Amino acid sequence: NFMGFSTLTTTLTPSAHPAPPSRPLVLGSTSRYRRELLERLRIPFAVTAPDVDETPQPGEAPQALARRLALAKARAVAALHPEAVVIGSDQVADLAGQPLGKPGEHARAVAQLRQMRGQTVIFQTALAVVCLASGFEQVDLAEVRVVFRDLSDDEIEAYLQAEQPYDCAGSAKSEGLGIALLESIDNDDPTALIGLPLIRTARLLRQAGVKLL
């Protein structure tokens, strides 16, 4: 424990000895996908759930929504742990300017996937890194352009029964069977679609003074 909250640590091989971060690192998210991705960087971090209202504002564009929520999550957790470097992230599926969030339940997931079949969807994955003690605050955005196949209702149902991706934006779980829903994926940060763009994350952490290697 440090600073009164639990830590998650990665297991290092004997040959791997990354320098510890100069400040505690906190992931402001309850997403298991983001936690698993951040563990790839092999640095100790804690997890704190952000208390943020994720309701879109009237007329808010998907890109703006993702950026606003990522920063709000990072700021909310940084207020609790001002000495730490805090990561916040949010993902919104953008279908022709219409934001699609986490479906939460089966019927809504069916409706989302019916909307997206045969369409190009841009998954907007925003990342914010905040440290109150040092005055650091940066936001970045990774766009992933995804083309969905013209899915049948039977395919949609089979996918949802297998994956139950009700905690994924746009019901899309590309790291699992969801890959079979797609014609193509176009992006410059390979983990962005899963929920945390690690190239951008590493860049912002370095800028915030966190040593990764």
Side-chain angles (χ1 to χ4, degrees):
N1 271 11
F2 58 79
M3 296 174 60
F5 47 85
S6 61
T7 58
L8 296 175
T9 57
T10 56
T11 301
L12 302 181
T13 62
S15 60
H17 298 288
S22 55
R23 292 184 181 277
L25 180 63
V26 182
L27 176 62
S29 174
T30 57
S31 165
R32 62 186 175 92
Y33 309 110
R34 293 191 178 104
R35 184 179 69 243
E36 290 168 0
L37 287 170
L38 189 57
E39 286 173 347
R40 295 187 189 182
L41 297 184
R42 298 192 175 201
I43 51 178
F45 65 92
V47 172
T48 297
D51 184 11
V52 171
D53 181 357
E54 299 190 30
T55 304
Q57 296 176 351
E60 190 171 26
Q63 186 181 90
L65 173 61
R67 292 176 68 96
R68 178 176 64 83
L69 291 181
L71 185 56
K73 291 174 182 179
R75 285 174 172 173
V77 173
L80 300 175
H81 309 295
E83 295 294 327
V85 174
V86 178
I87 299 169
S89 186
D90 191 78
Q91 185 179 78
V92 178
D94 179 350
L95 176 59
Q98 176 187 355
L100 301 177
K102 301 171 185 175
E105 47 88 24
H106 185 83
R108 190 175 176 195
V110 170
Q112 284 185 342
L113 290 168
R114 284 176 175 171
Q115 282 182 280
M116 294 189 295
R117 57 187 170 192
Q119 302 296 316
T120 297
V121 180
I122 301 174
F123 285 81
Q124 309 280 5
T125 305
L127 166 72
V129 174
V130 173
C131 179
L132 292 183
S134 66
F136 184 87
E137 183 175 287
Q138 292 289 332
V139 183
D140 204 347
L141 185 85
E143 293 189 344
V144 182
R145 187 175 297 271
V146 175
V147 179
F148 280 79
R149 294 175 43 247
D150 188 9
L151 305 165
S152 69
D153 285 349
D154 286 345
E155 286 178 310
I156 289 173
E157 188 64 30
Y159 161 68
L160 292 177
Q161 291 295 337
E163 288 287 3
Q164 301 189 20
Y166 307 130
D167 59 347
C168 299
S171 309
K173 191 174 180 181
S174 63
E175 68 272 29
L177 185 58
I179 202 71
L181 306 177
L182 310 180
E183 289 284 359
S184 65
I185 299 173
D186 182 18
N187 71 95
D188 64 359
D189 206 334
T191 60
L193 190 55
I194 304 174
L196 188 67
L198 283 182
I199 292 175
R200 286 169 170 80
T201 300
R203 181 187 304 138
L204 291 191
L205 289 178
R206 288 194 300 269
Q207 291 175 7
V210 178
K211 294 182 179 180
L212 302 180
L213 295 171

